[in-house]
Amino acid sequence: MKTIVEATKIKKIYGAKGNVFTALKEISLSVREGEFVGIMGPSGSGKTTLLNLLATIDKPTSGEILVDGVNLGAMKEAQLSAFRRDKLGFIFQDFNLLDTLTVKENIVLPLVLARMNRAELERRADELVRRFGIAGLVDKYPYQLSGGQKQRTAACRAIVSAPSLVLADEPTGSLDSKSATELLESLQQLNVQDRTTILMVTHDAFAASYCSRILFIKDGEIFTELVKGGMTRKEFFNKVMDVLSVLGGGASDLI
């Protein structure tokens, strides 16, 4: 099976001289094609730093990151920008939709920037809005949508270019339970049916229970990992809660 993410001895240090903070302590991890991996940990554990490094938003102090076989550290900024557009999809807690564009225009924006032909652009958009249950909203603007509808629009935008890796940062953090469930079920279906590789940072054990594997980070290091295997989602949820209690706090205390 193809490896999508290969991170080796990733260290991230902020500050200088007497005021130094080590956010990540030589973390190594790999994510294979078709996995749905969650990242959890207490506030300040380094999980968001790790996501930012994998997303090319930040650079490690030392170590090597390969995404889809490409060494991120070997690329210049213009190359990284093209790599983000073509290979990575992003789902943020605050949606990051453009208010002046309709739902459909927001979704196809990455394809427009990549100068994809109109017919293929329309085909991809139509397929995704049906799958995510927002086909009736394509002409509306973000201010006319609920939080759940905005996040499903953002999810469609993240995957419309068929990226190698989808990075989700607290995607259910601003949603009510019904909208969160709808989004997670859509992402799980995408993962299972299309073998889309997803890496999701979350504080929520319910959201994490949709993953196939979870990495728990504490104090800049991988504390442990859980693999769902043949467990039901409820059984996996209970296992996640067990680990969170060992880490020092309930799910509501983790960000």
Side-chain angles (χ1 to χ4, degrees):
M1 191 181 297
K2 183 179 179 182
T3 299
I4 297 298
V5 176
E6 189 70 54
T8 307
K9 294 185 177 181
I10 299 303
K11 180 183 281 189
K12 183 63 182 180
I13 299 173
Y14 294 102
K17 296 184 179 179
N19 187 25
V20 171
F21 171 66
T22 303
L24 294 178
K25 303 172 183 176
E26 296 196 342
I27 279 184
S28 295
L29 64 94
S30 62
V31 178
R32 300 216 175 250
E33 186 176 33
E35 279 198 290
F36 189 167
V37 178
I39 300 175
M40 303 189 81
S43 176
S45 61
K47 60 187 184 301
T48 299
T49 298
L50 176 60
L51 190 77
N52 287 342
L53 296 179
L54 299 177
T56 74
I57 294 170
D58 201 355
K59 294 183 178 181
T61 305
S62 62
E64 185 178 73
I65 301 173
L66 276 67
V67 176
D68 203 14
V70 177
N71 188 338
L72 302 186
M75 287 193 286
K76 296 179 180 178
E77 188 52 47
Q79 294 171 309
L80 282 172
S81 179
F83 185 83
R84 279 186 218 108
R85 183 193 68 209
D86 298 336
K87 296 291 186 177
L88 302 178
F90 300 93
I91 307 175
F92 302 97
Q93 180 177 343
D94 57 0
F95 319 126
N96 280 19
L97 299 175
L98 296 177
D99 292 332
T100 56
L101 300 182
T102 64
V103 164
K104 189 169 188 177
E105 288 167 344
N106 266 285
I107 291 170
V108 301
L109 183 59
L111 305 184
V112 172
L113 294 174
R115 299 184 178 181
M116 179 173 285
N117 73 75
R118 186 78 183 182
E120 178 62 12
L121 180 150
E122 293 282 350
R123 186 194 69 77
R124 290 195 188 190
D126 290 346
E127 178 186 348
L128 285 177
V129 296
R130 285 198 303 272
R131 291 180 66 171
F132 277 79
I134 54 173
L137 305 174
V138 290
D139 295 322
K140 292 187 178 295
Y141 289 86
Y143 72 87
Q144 298 173 298
L145 306 179
S146 68
Q149 291 166 340
K150 288 179 183 178
Q151 196 57 298
R152 279 182 278 161
T153 300
C156 288
R157 180 189 57 192
I159 62 177
V160 72
S161 58
S164 300
L165 177 66
V166 174
L167 297 158
D169 188 7
E170 301 282 7
T172 62
S174 300
L175 306 182
D176 59 50
S177 58
K178 181 176 182 292
S179 296
T181 300
E182 289 174 346
L183 176 69
L184 290 164
E185 287 179 349
S186 295
L187 290 177
Q188 187 179 58
Q189 182 184 52
L190 191 74
N191 169 251
V192 172
Q193 293 185 358
D194 295 9
R195 296 193 58 72
T196 300
T197 308
I198 304 171
L199 191 64
M200 176 176 72
V201 165
T202 183
H203 72 281
D204 182 10
F206 175 75
S209 69
Y210 281 83
C211 298
S212 56
R213 180 164 62 102
I214 302 171
L215 300 173
F216 295 87
I217 297 179
K218 182 178 183 180
D219 299 328
E221 299 177 297
I222 293 179
F223 175 75
T224 190
E225 77 168 17
L226 278 181
V227 178
K228 187 175 186 179
M231 282 186 274
T232 65
R233 197 168 58 76
K234 184 176 181 180
E235 290 170 339
F236 196 43
F237 170 85
N238 290 333
K239 290 285 188 182
V240 172
M241 293 299 293
D242 288 344
V243 175
L244 294 181
S245 67
V246 172
L247 275 172
S252 61
D253 298 322
L254 302 174
I255 61 173

